């Protein structure tokens, strides 16, 4: 029986990508070296870097003359600090849209910087984070940027493209858990960042897409934390995560074969609809997320009985349906169905849900 990994991250990679990694692991492109050994100064890596960067911008339909791509480390969590260090320079004030745990964390870390204000301009607290809050279009104060989290991994909520307005202020988005898995007009955003371990590559790589007019060198910042310095050094101020960039490059090629973001988003919607509809037809299971805010990447669900939840997770693992335990803040179960999760995996989960439901 095939195993299906529903982990929120690190998450599964496409089968085709893993097969290519196995082929390149001993020797990469007749170099005599493993892909894990090649130098970030070599032409092998420089070609890989350029192609991966170009593929990201191409898939997002962004103009290379207007946007740059940085390959960083430290996870999206580090960007909670480095983004305000680089961009919250004029007013020293950020507008935060609180849609869940990771949005809150972004605000808390930014607030720790000296002489920086973080104002929560919208929050889903009143609905217990079961629906995304509306993003304001009018602001009473001057802000350096507005920060949103497009997909909330823990709560299972997400913004659709039509819920993201065009703003006069710079718009910054943490897209870690639906990066290149859902259609957006990416030109609405001035900066997008994402940890790669959900939809793109193994943990250890953070992708940051930034408008070039925001790449201003700041002499008061260490080079490693200065976006302009990193861009000038082509993301190689220190040794970049070469292997992760290589895997990301393979995943991007695979994504293009699926029809790009629009093509994979259609499949992702089909997977999500299948799972949500199955849950709705059961007597024991429930999705508490508002229909207009449902994530197509992360689907939390509960029975309302912690013992029954635990039994479900244990039996699911015996059926090779892995990592379905929900986050500790929400409980229950969570199925993360990122780009690499095939429709067959979601169907296998739905069949198991129906069988389990019939027995209880």
């Amino acid at each position: 029986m095939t195993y299906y990994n529903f982990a929120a991250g690190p998450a599964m990679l496409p089968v085709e990508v893993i097969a290519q990694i196995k082929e390149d692991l001993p020797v990469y492109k007749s170099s005599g070296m493993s892909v894990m050994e090649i130098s970030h100064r070599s032409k092998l890596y420089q070609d890989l870097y350029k192609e991966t960067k170009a593929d990201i911008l191409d898939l997002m339909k962004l103009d290379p003359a207007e946007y740059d791509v940085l390959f960083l480390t430290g996870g999206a969590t580090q960007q909670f600090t480095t983004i305000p260090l680089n961009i919250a320079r004029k007013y020293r004030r950020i507008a935060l849209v609180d849609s869940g745990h990771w949005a809150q964390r972004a605000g808390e870390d930014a607030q720790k910087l000296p002489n920086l204000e973080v104002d929560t301009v919208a929050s889903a607290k009143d609905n217990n984070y079961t629906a995304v809050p509306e993003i304001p279009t009018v602001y009473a104060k001057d802000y350096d940027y507005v920060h949103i989290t497009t997909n909330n991994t823990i709560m299972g909520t997400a913004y659709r493209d039509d819920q993201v307005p065009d703003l006069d202020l710079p718009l910054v988005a943490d897209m870690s858990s639906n990066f290149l898995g859902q259609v957006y007009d990416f030109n609405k955003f001035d900066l997008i960042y994402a940890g790669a371990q959900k939809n793109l590559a193994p943990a250890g790589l953070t992708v940051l897409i930034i408008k070039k007019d925001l790449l201003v060198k700041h002499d008061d910042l260490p080079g490693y934390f200065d976006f302009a310095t990193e861009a000038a050094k082509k993301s190689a101020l220190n040794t970049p995560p070469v292997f992760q960039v290589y895997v990301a490059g393979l995943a991007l090629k695979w994504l293009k074969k699926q029809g790009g973001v629009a093509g994979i988003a259609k499949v992702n919607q089909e997977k999500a609809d299948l799972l949500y509809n199955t849950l709705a037809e059961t007597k024991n299971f429930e999705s508490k997320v508002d229909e207009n805010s449902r994530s197509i990447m992360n689907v939390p669900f509960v029975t309302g009985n912690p013992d029954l939840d635990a039994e479900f997770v244990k039996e699911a693992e015996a059926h090779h349906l892995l990592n379905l335990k929900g986050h500790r803040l929400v409980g229950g179960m969570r199925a993360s169905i990122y780009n690499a999760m095939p429709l067959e995996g979601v169907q296998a989960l739905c069949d198991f849900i129906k069988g389990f439901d019939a027995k209880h």
Side-chain angles (χ1 to χ4, degrees):
M1 183 185 291
T2 303
Y3 285 84
Y4 293 110
N5 178 14
F6 293 92
M12 66 185 299
L13 290 165
V15 172
E16 295 92 328
V17 169
I18 292 176
Q20 187 63 53
I21 293 170
K22 287 175 67 177
E23 185 175 321
D24 292 338
L25 211 53
V27 179
Y28 180 63
K29 292 193 174 181
S30 304
S31 66
M33 296 175 286
S34 166
V35 69
M36 294 192 294
E37 299 171 345
I38 62 172
S39 168
H40 60 295
R41 304 295 184 195
S42 68
K43 186 177 185 303
L44 281 171
Y45 177 73
Q46 291 303 315
D47 290 346
L48 172 65
Y49 158 80
K50 291 174 186 174
E51 196 167 334
T52 305
K53 177 176 167 179
D55 282 344
I56 287 175
L57 293 175
D58 183 42
L59 282 162
M60 299 177 81
K61 301 185 185 332
L62 295 175
D63 185 349
E66 294 184 24
Y67 286 86
D68 206 344
V69 180
L70 304 183
F71 297 128
L72 306 172
T73 56
T77 308
Q78 182 171 293
Q79 301 311 315
F80 297 165
T81 302
T82 49
I83 289 170
L85 281 173
N86 280 267
I87 300 177
R89 308 285 297 197
K90 184 176 181 180
Y91 302 111
R92 306 289 298 170
R93 189 181 296 120
I94 300 166
L96 179 81
V97 178
D98 169 25
S99 55
H101 175 77
W102 291 109
Q104 294 163 12
R105 285 282 305 276
E108 289 166 3
D109 281 5
Q111 189 73 71
K112 293 175 183 177
L113 295 172
N115 304 314
L116 185 70
E117 294 179 40
V118 179
D119 292 345
T120 300
V121 295
S123 178
K125 185 177 181 179
D126 290 345
N127 63 52
N128 199 29
Y129 299 97
T130 57
V132 291
E134 184 176 352
I135 301 168
T137 55
V138 177
Y139 296 86
K141 299 178 183 177
D142 291 321
Y143 293 102
D144 291 292
Y145 62 87
V146 179
H147 181 282
I148 69 170
T149 304
T150 53
N151 186 90
N152 299 284
T153 323
I154 296 173
M155 285 74 181
T157 61
Y159 285 101
R160 300 187 310 268
D161 183 53
D162 62 1
Q163 294 172 317
V164 180
D166 285 306
L167 297 179
D168 293 331
L169 291 168
L171 180 59
V172 171
D174 178 355
M175 287 194 180
S176 291
S177 52
N178 67 344
F179 184 60
L180 302 182
Q182 186 172 343
V183 173
Y184 290 102
D185 177 359
F186 295 106
N187 287 281
K188 292 179 182 178
F189 302 91
D190 296 78
L191 188 154
I192 294 165
Y193 64 106
Q197 67 272 17
K198 301 175 187 292
N199 252 351
L200 197 62
L205 170 67
T206 305
V207 179
L208 187 141
I209 300 98
I210 183 170
K211 275 192 172 178
K212 289 185 175 181
D213 59 9
L214 293 177
L215 289 172
V216 178
K217 182 169 172 53
H218 303 294
D219 291 332
D220 59 330
L221 294 182
Y224 188 68
F225 298 123
D226 182 64
F227 293 156
T229 300
E230 281 282 12
K233 292 291 185 179
K234 298 180 180 176
S235 300
L237 184 63
N238 67 339
T239 306
V242 172
F243 180 71
Q244 283 82 350
V245 174
Y246 152 77
V247 177
L250 295 181
L252 294 168
K253 297 295 186 192
W254 174 85
L255 185 54
K256 287 190 169 187
K257 291 179 183 177
Q258 313 312 306
V261 179
I264 202 67
K266 184 178 179 181
V267 176
N268 288 340
Q269 188 66 61
E270 183 180 0
K271 294 185 300 189
D273 288 344
L274 176 61
L275 182 49
Y276 284 119
N277 290 339
T278 297
L279 293 170
E281 292 167 0
T282 65
K283 62 180 184 292
N284 285 295
F285 297 98
E286 178 188 10
S287 166
K288 295 188 174 183
V289 177
D290 183 276
E291 287 190 25
N292 291 321
S293 294
R294 283 177 171 174
S295 168
I296 61 172
M297 299 278 104
N298 310 100
V299 182
F301 55 101
V302 297
T303 65
N305 180 338
D307 292 334
L308 193 59
D309 290 346
E311 182 182 342
F312 176 89
V313 171
K314 184 177 180 180
E315 285 194 22
E317 187 170 343
H319 284 75
H320 298 182
L321 305 171
L322 309 179
N323 296 309
L324 284 163
K325 184 178 180 180
H327 192 276
R328 64 184 181 278
L329 294 178
V330 176
M333 287 70 66
R334 174 178 55 179
S336 294
I337 49 177
Y338 301 120
N339 287 357
M341 173 61 69
L343 181 61
E344 293 80 8
V346 178
Q347 184 64 64
L349 174 59
C350 290
D351 290 343
F352 176 75
I353 289 172
K354 291 175 186 176
F356 187 91
D357 188 61
K359 291 189 301 182
H360 294 81

